[in-house]
Each structure stands twice: as structure tokens, then as C-alpha cells.
Amino acid sequence: MCGIVGYIGKADVTNTILEALSRLEYRGYDSAGIAVLNGKGVEIRKRVGKLKILAEAVRRQPMKSGHVGIGHTRWATHGEPSEINAHPHTDCSHALAVVHNGIIENYAELKAQLVANGHTFRSQTDTEVIAHLVEELAKHTPLDRAFRQALKQLKGSYAVCLLSKQDPHRIFGARNGSPLIVGIGDGEAFFASDVPAVLEHTRRVVYLNDFEVVELSASGPTLTSLDGKPIKHTVVTVRWDVASARKEGFPHFMLKEIHEQPTAIEQTLLNRLDDVKGAITFDRRTKTFLDKLPADEKFIIISCGTAYHAGLVGEYMLEEFARIPVTVDLASEFRYRGPMLDRGITVIAITQSGETADTLAGIRLAKQHGSKVLAICNVMGSSISREADAVLYTHAGPEIAVASTKAYTAQITALMLLTLYLAKRRKRLPAAQWRLLVDGLAKLPRTVQRALESEDAIKAVAAKYASARNFYYLGRRYNYPSALEGALKLKEICPLIHAEGYAAGEMKHGPISLIRKGWPIVFLAPQSPVYEKVISNIEEVRARKGECIVIASEGDEHIARYADSLITIPKTDEFFSPIVAAIPLQLFAYYVADANGCDIDQPPNLAKSVTVE
Ligand code: M6R
């Protein structure tokens, strides 16, 4: 995980880097550091804890900065969070500094060789070997070659930036398995782990590929291979704007992103759904991919965390309406369970970041066995979007809060488009039902907007249960994944609370034994073919004096008598209910966490993008 930044240009380098790092803090926040060339040499400042602690240290004692610098915000892998282990790391002579995101798997072996050659290490990190290795190699060859030679010796994953007082007009960068982009501004240039870091300055970016090495000057990048061969690059203008990387008046990114869901869904439907004509279309590559699928194709959906829950919803939809056999796997299990893969299988990888290590490894495994890969992804230029055979982008905009919200509902929206497209192509849906679902999909942004209007009511329910420390979330069919997602949202952002999602029908097979008087249970009970079954499950819990918080469809007067607290959502076909029900689940988690004083956007021990195993 970790966020890295490099800057070269005319602006104040420390402020520019600190500001860019603040857009990447979602990637890790247990320590932060910055290195600048100050005319005499490399000046470094590091602090344990969040970026604001480093920013305060720099404010109190400004760095004598020039116009070249690198910065890092860390999510520890090797070595505890401490000032010594915080990046940037330097060589013995303190002439160069590196920041790194990833894991150098052969660092122990390299370190032993370097120590034998007289190098002295200060930290317990894997990253420090890069600094010493470049120092060692640069004794015999120019810095750029030394950098490339060092990279060739590294095993594992890296996005790395290096600056040196020997070469004060360039920063070097490279990637292998961890994200790194170049931002090209007006007389200034950046390295960054992700686009939001550079949006204040430019929307012109270069997405780097693995094993590309960049020499970055203020006028832009020069790319080579590890062997020094020139590589042409493409500059892309990103759609995201500056506002999308700011809180825009909301107290947390999570709340802002919850409120952005009508737009995220609308953008995901844009140019794909034509409700007037009753047509769904995709970009040429994705359409060709889908149209070529044989009638007996099977799908395996792989994903992690919230994206896994979206995948579970996808399984219900694709099987019910497109009649395609689907299995859903946690990517971290899929890659190690020896899955039966062949040409007749399409692996659908669902991922917000497009960089999740397990999901990436899963699609590589699928491709090795001849399976096809479709990605549902939010980040253009990400590793998964580039390695997949086709991509169905969710246009949710940058998601900064660690807790995924708008990416989740955009992923389900993309799965709805996919389901309806395939269902129609395979003639699985009667015209009347197709029309009903297409109309519902077109209305979905407004329906979600209406669900958001219950925010105050949801906040009041959250206040009532904020002191509880255990929650169950129960649902059936399409809202079984909703139960899992609701519980994940709460425990993720409110680490004081244990929450568990379950299929409501499974309660009597074990978990019901835990129910005690006053234990809150969130029930998902919108209108559906299993509505009566859910009511029976509510009865079972009430009989044991559990406290029932029920999420039900507007106008359902019958259910009020079963609920200690009732939250209503707009009435929809069950097909849309996982998206509509996600709104109160997210807001409930948000307000419970807020009432408990939790660090909502940056919960302890978590990072947004899990680029390590
Ligand atoms: O970027 P991805 O969608 O691949 O990330 C997958 C999970 O790490 C992610 O959904 C995680 O569970 C979220 N923090 C949940 O809110």
C-alpha cells in the first residue's frame, strides 16, 4: 500500500509534496516523510503517525528546500511504524533518497551482500536495500544505469522514486506490480501512486507499465526499459477534476462519497443505457468480448472485501436473469484453491482500485489457463484494467475514503447492465420484464437520491444504538450480500464494534445462540419473494428479545409492528434493492462511527488499496 510522490518544478517543493501526499493518505498513514534537494544535499524529515504531524513539523522548522523532492505516506509491511522505518531511506553517504511502495522479497539476501561490502543499514525495512544497492552500483556507472541495474536485481513488487544530489535536475522512478503514474504540468512534473495526488496541478498523466523506468525532469518524462532502450509513452487527459479529490464541505470523504452515489450511478449508466430505445450498449472492445461468449460460457467472479459483496449480488442477478452459471470467489482463496479454469470460463474481476494484489494474481492465473478476463474497475490505467481482455468501467470518480461506498453501488450498477445485456442477447427475458427492469435502472439515480433523503432519520436510529458493541446484519437472497456489506462497513470504520453479516435463514443453524436482550440486529426486509421468510426470522429474534432495526420498503405498514426501529427505503423491484438498501447501511455505519468519535476516513490498520498479499 503506501502512497508515493515525486515533484520537480518551480513551486515550493515541500508544500507541493505535502499537499499531494494528503490526497494519497488513504493508502496508508502510520508514518510519513519527505526528502528534498536543498542545493547542498538531501534534506529529510519524517514523523510517525499521520501526515498532519509531519506537516506540523515542517511548518515549525521549514526545510531549506529547492525544487526537487519525494514524499511517502506509509502502511507498514517490514518493520514497525517508527521514524527510522519511515521513508524516505538513504544510502550510507546520504547522497540519495528513495521512497517505495511494495515488497522487495529478496531484500534479506541483498542486504547481506551489501553489509558484507561495508554498507550500514539503519532501518528494518526492505526498502533501504534499494538506496544502498544504487549507491553500490553507482560507484562504477552513472546514476541512471545504476538505478536500472539495481531494479533488475529486485524480486517482488515496487513503485519507487529516487533522487540524488549527484543529479539535481532529475528524479528517477519505476514500477513493477505497484501503481505509479507521471503527471505532466506546466514547467513541472510529478510522480504519484494515484491520479488524485496531481489533480490540483494537472489532468495530463502517463500510466506507467511494469518494468518501465522514468527519468523525470521539469519538462516531462523520458521512458526506457530496464535495459535502457527508449520507450514511447502516451499522455492521457483524465476525466476526474480537482473537486473530486477534495471534501467539498463534507466532514469526511466517506459522507461525501455516500452522497455522490446518484451521480456515480448516473455516470456508470451514461452512454450505455438508452431507456427510450430500450437498449444497452458497451464500448467496442467490451461489446465484442461479450458478443463472442459461447452459449455455454461459465462465469467465475473474483474480488475482495466490498467488491466481493458486489460480486455476490452479481451472482444472483446473472443466474436469475441471464441464466449463466456463476460462482463467486474471494480472490485470495481463488488463487490458491486450484480452480478449474479453461477456455470456457470467463473470470470477472471486480475491483475499485484495479490494483488489489489478490485480484490481480487471480486474473493472471485465469489467463495462464486460457480463461478470458473481464474487469469491472473504477480506475483507468490500473494494472487490472490493463491486463483484462475487456473492461466495464464504473465511472464513480475517485474514491478516497477507506470504506468503499460509491464504488460498491457503481459495481452493482455495472453488473445490472451486464446482466440485462446478456439476458436480452440470450433471449432469457420476456419483453415486459425487460422493460420494467430497464425503466427501473434508468430511474435508479433518482431512487438513490430519495433514499439519501432519509439521512436524518437514519442518523437518529444510529444515535440510539451507538453504544452497542455487537451487531448482526441479516438478509436473504439479493440482500444477503447487503447484510455482509452492512456489517463490513460498520466494523471497518468503527473498530470498537464487532458486526457480523449472515444469511437470515442460517441463524437457526448456530448464530441465534448469541442473541441476548437488547442485542441489535439489522434486518434487510424490502419487498421481495422472501419477504415473509424474513418476517419469520425477525420473529425468531424477537422471541429471544433481540432489538430489531428493520430496513423495509416505503409504504410497508405491516412490518412496523416487528421493528424496534424502522428505516424505510424507496420501494423497488428486488433487483434494485441491494443498491437502495446500501444507502441506509452506509449512513448507519457512518453515524454510529461518528457518534463513537472514530477516525472514519482512516480507520486503524487499514489502507484503501491492498497491493500486498
Ligand atoms: O480496490 P478493490 O475494490 O479491489 O478493493 C477491495 C477491498 O480491499 C475493498 O473493497 C475493502 O474491503 C474496502 N475497504 C471495504 O470498504
Side-chain angles (χ1 to χ4, degrees):
M1 304 178 319
C2 307
I4 65 177
V5 166
Y7 176 74
I8 182 160
K10 292 202 179 64
D12 177 279
V13 70
T14 42
N15 284 338
T16 307
I17 289 180
L18 286 170
E19 192 274 330
L21 283 178
S22 73
R23 312 283 172 215
L24 296 181
E25 222 186 348
Y26 69 87
R27 302 181 65 85
Y29 33 80
D30 58 41
S31 57
I34 182 165
V36 296
L37 291 179
N38 64 11
K40 291 191 185 140
V42 180
E43 186 177 355
I44 293 187
R45 200 66 57 80
K46 305 175 184 187
R47 286 296 179 272
V48 177
K50 293 198 171 178
L51 187 65
K52 62 180 183 204
I53 300 174
L54 175 70
E56 180 57 18
V58 172
R59 194 190 62 75
R60 284 185 182 197
Q61 197 190 348
M63 298 170 83
K64 291 186 211 73
S65 64
H67 300 288
V68 183
I70 54 178
H72 189 269
T73 174
R74 182 169 187 244
W75 187 85
T77 58
H78 291 63
E80 57 168 5
S82 68
E83 217 157 280
I84 296 260
N85 288 335
H87 301 214
H89 291 284
T90 57
D91 58 341
C92 296
S93 59
H94 214 77
L96 60 84
V98 293
V99 288
H100 163 228
N101 170 30
I103 292 180
I104 307 302
E105 288 163 6
N106 59 336
Y107 86 98
E109 183 188 322
L110 291 169
K111 185 171 173 176
Q113 286 165 13
L114 288 159
V115 169
N117 282 347
H119 288 259
T120 307
F121 281 71
R122 303 173 192 94
S123 74
Q124 291 102 48
T125 64
D126 52 339
T127 304
E128 196 181 341
V129 293
I130 306 174
H132 291 280
L133 192 55
V134 176
E135 178 184 37
E136 182 65 26
L137 294 164
K139 286 178 187 163
H140 316 288
T141 189
L143 188 64
D144 56 338
R145 285 191 64 186
F147 183 56
R148 283 195 295 268
Q149 284 176 5
L151 295 173
K152 279 186 175 177
Q153 295 189 35
L154 303 181
K155 291 196 182 118
S157 61
Y158 56 77
V160 61
C161 293
L162 176 147
L163 56 70
S164 165
K165 70 175 185 186
Q166 319 293 8
D167 205 337
H169 302 296
R170 289 188 297 180
I171 316 175
F172 298 89
R175 67 160 274 173
N176 170 28
S178 296
L180 190 65
I181 61 129
V182 170
I184 305 171
D186 191 7
E188 60 183 1
F190 299 80
F191 281 117
S193 300
D194 198 357
V195 171
V198 304
L199 283 178
E200 290 279 346
H201 305 266
T202 183
R203 288 166 69 186
R204 298 177 64 228
V205 305
V206 178
Y207 293 105
L208 299 178
N209 293 307
D210 284 351
F211 306 116
E212 287 180 345
V213 183
V214 182
E215 295 168 29
L216 191 68
S217 70
S219 55
T222 306
L223 273 66
T224 59
S225 66
L226 289 182
D227 292 322
K229 297 208 176 75
I231 296 177
K232 280 196 179 152
H233 63 268
T234 313
V235 181
V236 177
T237 303
V238 294
R239 283 166 50 156
W240 296 351
D241 59 9
V242 187
S244 57
R246 293 189 186 140
K247 284 190 204 150
E248 299 279 301
F250 284 93
H252 298 98
F253 276 112
M254 183 180 175
L255 192 59
K256 175 180 177 244
E257 288 161 6
I258 289 173
H259 280 270
E260 283 173 344
Q261 289 177 103
T263 311
I265 293 167
E266 195 169 71
Q267 290 293 317
T268 302
L269 296 175
L270 193 71
N271 299 329
R272 290 171 173 160
L273 176 71
D274 184 336
D275 57 314
V276 180
K277 287 195 191 138
I280 289 172
T281 188
F282 296 110
D283 63 88
R284 197 147 48 102
R285 184 167 150 216
T286 306
K287 186 174 175 335
T288 310
F289 177 93
L290 295 173
D291 292 354
K292 276 193 185 157
L293 295 179
D296 58 352
E297 189 76 356
K298 295 186 182 68
F299 287 172
I300 301 179
I301 298 179
I302 60 168
S303 41
C304 301
T306 287
Y308 170 70
H309 300 153
L312 290 174
V313 177
E315 178 183 26
Y316 282 92
M317 295 190 303
L318 284 159
E319 290 208 333
E320 180 171 1
F321 293 102
R323 305 306 291 158
I324 296 173
V326 181
T327 52
V328 189
D329 259 303
L330 289 162
S332 53
E333 288 298 313
F334 171 81
R335 59 185 289 199
Y336 292 116
R337 77 168 167 82
M340 292 173 61
L341 292 162
D342 57 38
R343 288 170 182 280
I345 287 180
T346 291
V347 168
I348 303 179
I350 306 180
T351 170
Q352 188 284 130
S353 62
E355 301 292 348
T356 299
D358 287 316
T359 312
L360 184 57
I363 69 166
R364 287 178 178 162
L365 181 73
K367 291 187 92 171
Q368 273 164 27
H369 288 81
S371 298
K372 300 170 276 293
V373 174
L374 171 70
I376 295 181
C377 182
N378 197 40
V379 179
M380 284 196 188
S382 57
S383 302
I384 292 173
S385 73
R386 281 185 291 179
E387 293 193 25
D389 297 306
V391 188
L392 216 171
Y393 282 106
T394 48
H395 295 298
E399 194 181 62
I400 311 281
V402 165
S404 184
T405 54
K406 62 176 179 171
Y408 174 65
T409 47
Q411 284 158 356
I412 301 177
T413 305
L415 286 161
M416 285 172 173
L417 285 167
L418 183 67
T419 301
L420 293 178
Y421 182 82
L422 292 171
K424 187 168 191 196
R425 224 185 127 67
R426 289 162 187 237
K427 302 191 176 39
R428 301 289 194 198
L429 262 180
Q433 200 179 5
W434 159 266
R435 177 39 74 187
L436 203 83
L437 294 176
V438 163
D439 287 349
L441 193 51
K443 274 193 245 148
L444 196 55
R446 272 173 288 148
T447 312
V448 168
Q449 187 60 52
R450 282 214 295 122
L452 284 164
E453 284 160 18
S454 302
E455 181 167 1
D456 288 344
I458 298 161
K459 187 175 176 180
V461 178
K464 188 168 158 193
Y465 297 100
S467 58
R469 288 296 170 258
N470 290 289
F471 284 77
Y472 270 141
Y473 283 70
L474 302 177
R476 301 180 83 118
R477 260 175 67 98
Y478 281 66
N479 285 296
Y480 159 51
S482 304
L484 300 180
E485 176 59 8
L488 175 61
K489 281 294 83 88
L490 183 59
K491 63 188 155 194
E492 181 180 25
I493 61 169
C494 191
L496 304 163
I497 291 175
H498 174 247
E500 210 55 57
Y502 253 97
E506 274 293 295
M507 278 303 275
K508 53 190 165 298
H509 298 289
I512 202 162
S513 66
L514 282 175
I515 303 289
R516 302 276 181 281
K517 187 169 185 291
W519 184 315
I521 293 113
V522 179
F523 273 98
L524 287 130
Q527 291 302 313
S528 79
V530 286
Y531 173 78
E532 296 297 343
K533 308 264 176 225
V534 177
I535 300 259
S536 304
N537 299 134
I538 298 177
E539 291 274 37
E540 288 158 11
V541 165
R542 283 171 63 83
R544 287 153 184 88
K545 303 211 171 354
E547 186 88 2
C548 296
I549 305 163
V550 180
I551 298 176
S553 304
E554 258 167 21
D556 181 353
E557 279 157 22
H558 170 71
I559 204 149
R561 77 183 75 146
Y562 300 95
D564 296 293
S565 296
L566 182 64
I567 295 172
T568 56
I569 51 174
K571 188 172 174 186
T572 62
D573 188 283
E574 187 196 23
F575 186 71
F576 303 106
S577 62
I579 288 190
V580 185
I583 306 300
L585 293 171
Q586 295 163 353
L587 286 169
F588 181 76
Y590 175 84
Y591 283 112
V592 169
D594 199 38
N596 279 287
C598 299
D599 191 345
I600 291 177
D601 281 342
Q602 294 169 351
N605 302 326
L606 289 178
K608 177 106 189 123
S609 184
V610 186
T611 56
V612 292
E613 250 199 89

